[in-house]
Amino acid sequence: MSNLSDIGFPTPDETAINEMILHVLELAKPIKAPQGFYLVYSDPSGAEIFLQGNFDQELVGFNPHFAGTSRLNVTLVGNIERDSSDLDGGFRAVVDGSDVEFVFDVPDFRLVPEGGFPRAAEVQLTAFASNDFKIGDESAEFSFVPAPMVDPEIPPRPIATISGKLIGFEKRKNELSGEEFYWLKVTTVGGDVDVVADPKWIRSEPSKGNVVSGTFWLSGRTI
């Protein structure tokens, strides 16, 4: 699971997570899916929560996302179903014009139209920062390195180490929680990625042209 504080939801423990879910439930909109339903909360800041429900009207999980402006052209080469719930999943994809194959989770996985593989897609990809997040002035080559597959019996993780150039950023406030977070638009291998980060990861104010790097959890939606 990504760091929810990267989109302004401070959830240090299970009690805080349950309180966040209760607040989201009051505002979320239901969307039916073949395997159940999603309850979607979209904050004006761009932060999103996708709650998951089964046919017994029970909540069975949730995923965060950020609705950004990035667009990445990829070829989807397979899907990944996760055993956490019937509504969880993602895709394996290859970045167009490269040999980079990576995995990303999809918060509304069961709403993506089914189709054969491989197939072209445009993806809005959000990278959630972690504690190795860095912004600097040093020059660096663009890179997009997926986490290695540890066990062929275990679905690959939606994690990648990314380096790219900062082309835009804003400090935003999650209106539901009142907490701030950073949105950064980063150009890397094959196109642009939206990056979200808890302010605690950012030690000095960013500026355009900085190099952004780190290990990120990847959440994407097909456009």
Side-chain angles (χ1 to χ4, degrees), residues 31-35 37-38 40 50-52 63 76 78-92 103-115 117 119 219-222:
I31 302 176
K32 291 182 180 180
Q35 292 77 13
F37 62 92
Y38 295 98
V40 184
F50 288 73
L51 301 175
Q52 303 170 359
N63 282 306
L76 302 179
N79 61 7
I80 296 172
E81 299 192 13
R82 302 196 181 279
D83 58 12
S84 45
S85 95
D86 287 340
L87 292 153
D88 260 339
F91 290 104
R92 292 169 42 234
V103 171
F104 64 97
D105 277 347
V106 180
D108 57 350
F109 175 64
R110 294 300 185 182
L111 301 181
V112 179
E114 294 185 6
F117 300 106
R119 70 177 189 264
S219 174
R221 298 189 70 195
T222 56

Side-chain angles (χ1 to χ4, degrees), residues 118-135:
R119 70 177 189 264
E122 189 176 35
V123 175
Q124 186 267 306
L125 190 68
T126 296
F128 285 69
S130 59
N131 59 3
D132 68 346
F133 180 73
K134 293 180 181 178
I135 299 178

